[in-house]
Amino acid sequence: MQNLTPAEARERFRAGLVTPTAGWCAGFTQANLIALPRDLAWDFLLFAQRNPQPCPVLDVLEPGEFGGPILDGDVRTDIPLYRIYHDGVQVAETPDAREFWRDDLVAFLVGCSFTFERALLAAGVPVRHVEEGRNVPMYRTSRRCRGAGALGGPMVVSMRPVPEHLVDTAIAVTARYPSVHGAPVHVGDPGELGIADLAAPDYGDAVTVREGEVPVFWGCGVTPQAAVVESRPSLAIAHAPGHMLITDAHDADYLVGPEPLVGAN
Amino acid sequence: MQNLTPAEARERFRAGLVTPTAGWCAGFTQANLIALPRDLAWDFLLFAQRNPQPCPVLDVLEPGEFGGPILDGDVRTDIPLYRIYHDGVQVAETPDAREFWRDDLVAFLVGCSFTFERALLAAGVPVRHVEEGRNVPMYRTSRRCRGAGALGGPMVVSMRPVPEHLVDTAIAVTARYPSVHGAPVHVGDPGELGIADLAAPDYGDAVTVREGEVPVFWGCGVTPQAAVVESRPSLAIAHAPGHMLITDAHDADYLVGPEPLVGAN
């Protein structure tokens, strides 16, 4: 799977394959989807601007369009699994969102931490959920996002257990990817985020935390879905957590400093 | 000036002092202002999202509010000099924007490259316009921004001459500040950006380019004003180029990787 092109992967999902996408299409950027009615689009874009760690926006599709500069595909069909919300309540989970789509929906593509996992592995930091063939564990926290208009809610985080001596490396590597959640929002104590039990994630699967490993928490692109549940828009269409949109953008496009990035002299 | 607090500096500007602000209030973040009618706010926020190098949004004030989390002040009076645009035409330059303000304006604070100049100096990279006590030179380029709704226009850039052996350093230092324009958009040839004459900037002042120095160009927060001129909204209120809003945010808040940023373990 990791050697497929994004177009090949999307074709499989369009044909009905349902699977979490961590580890798929090495080097290509994965994205969270949140599609909301046009009259909430301003509130959401502002919400994202105010909460860049959980909600870094990679692109916004034009209303009525299903692809864009980083997606030569169809956002309604090319994700393995969708969640449909009416008035903040999940009413369906489906591999094809077309029957629920409305002309006034605006689709936001939000950065995903799967993007920096290859860089973590390259730096010697293990990624447990990939090792164990599971979905990444995600948790609703007690930390509130800064609200915007009708939208508010808790921050959702993803968690990766990191050996203590590699925590600084994990921070340094991921800090260079601010567009895909960037540095951790918390290191160490789940209780400080209001997480009672690491073994019972709110989304995704639990993973093994070994002796000498520290739980490290990053902002997560499921945060918009937590805001949807709380803010109850008439319709929202999102990916199922961990089942991402694989775009045509390259992970390297989202890497910043310290190496020189421009060489046109 | 560099040792004043932001509150002290804003008080002077409120009292009528008109001056470019490069070098003021060391360590505190300066911002570009663009205030637009509510019905254009979505277009502008999307324009900024699509053009993050020239238009990195630091904060958006609530309609009807004049301060916010990074500004314990009044955005209508605390900038040294404002430019007022009606239908894309500059109709006034004034140190007090209150008589032009409207209740439906939404104020966007956009990152400014003055933020990384202290880091450049600390790394041994000279900042010529500060040395020469001038405003930074800025140029409209032939490079188009990606449009959004009613808004489109050229990218505006700022220029700093950098000794050839320090160009990589300048790139590496500024790449770590993606929220305040980040890495250069171009290094070397003004002609590639459609700039005919470095000695004739479109905004600000010309500076000396010495033998062995390379012109380095960064995205500039005057870009929204170039879009206003082209897109002709009924009203826009902006800062005069180089005459910035000095916020209470710290430059260090906008620094990313590679040093560890989180230490809560």
Side-chain angles (χ1 to χ4, degrees):
Chain A
M1 281 103 59
Q2 66 169 331
N3 293 323
L4 292 181
T5 68
E8 289 165 344
R10 292 191 301 254
E11 192 181 341
R12 293 195 188 188
F13 303 144
R14 212 156 45 231
L17 177 64
V18 174
T19 174
T21 53
W24 280 63
C25 299
F28 290 94
T29 300
Q30 303 197 18
N32 300 269
L33 169 70
I34 183 80
L36 290 165
R38 178 75 175 84
D39 61 7
L40 269 176
W42 161 258
D43 287 353
F44 182 74
L45 194 51
L46 191 57
F47 181 80
Q49 193 281 326
R50 290 178 173 172
N51 300 283
Q53 281 193 291
C55 303
V57 175
L58 301 181
D59 203 16
V60 183
L61 304 190
E62 298 288 348
E65 291 195 7
F66 309 115
I70 65 169
L71 174 66
D72 181 20
D74 188 328
V75 74
R76 302 170 303 170
T77 55
D78 292 4
I79 289 178
L81 194 62
Y82 295 84
R83 286 189 171 176
I84 315 296
Y85 295 89
H86 285 167
D87 300 318
V89 178
Q90 185 186 318
V91 295
E93 199 165 58
T94 170
D96 184 341
R98 281 178 296 183
E99 68 173 297
F100 299 97
W101 207 270
R102 276 188 350 210
D103 285 348
D104 68 332
L105 288 186
V106 179
F108 298 87
L109 310 187
V110 172
C112 172
S113 57
F114 293 172
T115 306
F116 57 55
E117 290 183 343
R118 202 156 146 255
L120 284 173
L121 290 168
V125 178
V127 178
R128 183 64 32 78
H129 61 99
V130 174
E131 280 172 17
E132 296 187 340
R134 297 183 196 167
N135 198 349
V136 66
M138 294 162 270
Y139 307 85
R140 268 190 301 274
T141 70
S142 55
R143 201 176 284 189
R144 297 290 299 174
C145 289
R146 195 175 149 206
L151 292 176
M155 185 187 296
V156 176
V157 296
S158 64
M159 188 280 290
R160 291 161 187 79
V162 176
E164 202 162 352
H165 70 285
L166 289 172
V167 167
D168 283 354
T169 302
I171 294 170
V173 165
T174 59
R176 294 183 65 200
Y177 290 92
S179 304
V180 290
H181 304 303
V185 296
H186 183 73
V187 174
D189 179 8
E192 281 217 9
L193 294 173
I195 299 169
D197 183 1
L198 283 182
D202 296 298
Y203 311 93
D205 303 322
V207 297
T208 310
V209 182
R210 298 188 190 140
E211 187 73 27
E213 291 184 336
V214 177
V216 180
F217 300 91
W218 283 267
C220 176
V222 174
T223 299
Q225 295 187 50
V228 159
V229 167
E230 189 169 308
S231 310
R232 310 175 65 83
S234 62
L235 174 63
I237 297 182
H239 65 293
H243 300 65
M244 314 308 293
L245 178 66
I246 302 182
T247 77
D248 300 299
H250 294 266
D251 294 348
D253 298 341
Y254 299 106
L255 181 64
V256 303
E259 277 96 23
L261 295 178
V262 179
N265 58 340
Chain B
M1 282 104 61
Q2 66 170 331
N3 294 323
L4 293 181
T5 67
E8 289 165 344
R10 291 191 302 254
E11 192 181 341
R12 294 195 188 190
F13 303 144
R14 211 155 47 229
L17 177 65
V18 175
T19 174
T21 52
W24 280 63
C25 300
F28 290 95
T29 300
Q30 302 197 18
N32 301 269
L33 169 70
I34 183 79
L36 291 165
R38 178 75 175 82
D39 60 7
L40 270 175
W42 161 258
D43 286 355
F44 182 74
L45 194 52
L46 190 57
F47 181 81
Q49 194 280 326
R50 288 178 174 172
N51 300 283
Q53 280 192 292
C55 304
V57 175
L58 301 182
D59 202 16
V60 184
L61 304 190
E62 297 288 348
E65 292 195 6
F66 309 115
I70 67 169
L71 173 66
D72 180 21
D74 188 328
V75 73
R76 303 169 304 168
T77 55
D78 291 4
I79 289 177
L81 194 63
Y82 296 84
R83 287 188 170 175
I84 315 295
Y85 296 88
H86 285 167
D87 299 319
V89 177
Q90 185 185 319
V91 295
E93 199 165 58
T94 171
D96 183 341
R98 280 177 297 183
E99 67 173 297
F100 299 97
W101 207 270
R102 276 188 350 211
D103 286 348
D104 68 331
L105 288 186
V106 179
F108 298 87
L109 310 186
V110 173
C112 172
S113 57
F114 292 171
T115 306
F116 56 54
E117 289 182 345
R118 201 155 147 257
L120 284 173
L121 290 168
V125 179
V127 178
R128 184 62 34 76
H129 61 100
V130 173
E131 280 171 20
E132 297 186 339
R134 297 182 195 166
N135 198 348
V136 66
M138 294 162 270
Y139 308 85
R140 268 190 299 274
T141 71
S142 55
R143 200 176 285 188
R144 298 290 297 173
C145 290
R146 195 175 150 206
L151 292 175
M155 186 188 295
V156 176
V157 296
S158 65
M159 188 280 290
R160 291 161 188 79
V162 175
E164 202 162 350
H165 70 286
L166 289 172
V167 167
D168 283 354
T169 302
I171 295 170
V173 166
T174 58
R176 294 183 64 199
Y177 289 92
S179 304
V180 290
H181 304 302
V185 295
H186 184 72
V187 174
D189 179 8
E192 282 217 7
L193 294 173
I195 299 169
D197 184 1
L198 283 183
D202 296 299
Y203 312 93
D205 303 321
V207 297
T208 311
V209 182
R210 297 190 191 137
E211 187 73 25
E213 291 184 337
V214 177
V216 180
F217 300 91
W218 282 267
C220 176
V222 175
T223 300
Q225 294 187 50
V228 159
V229 167
E230 189 169 309
S231 309
R232 310 175 65 82
S234 62
L235 175 63
I237 296 182
H239 66 293
H243 301 66
M244 315 307 294
L245 178 66
I246 302 184
T247 76
D248 300 300
H250 294 266
D251 294 349
D253 298 341
Y254 298 106
L255 181 65
V256 302
E259 277 95 23
L261 296 178
V262 180
N265 58 338

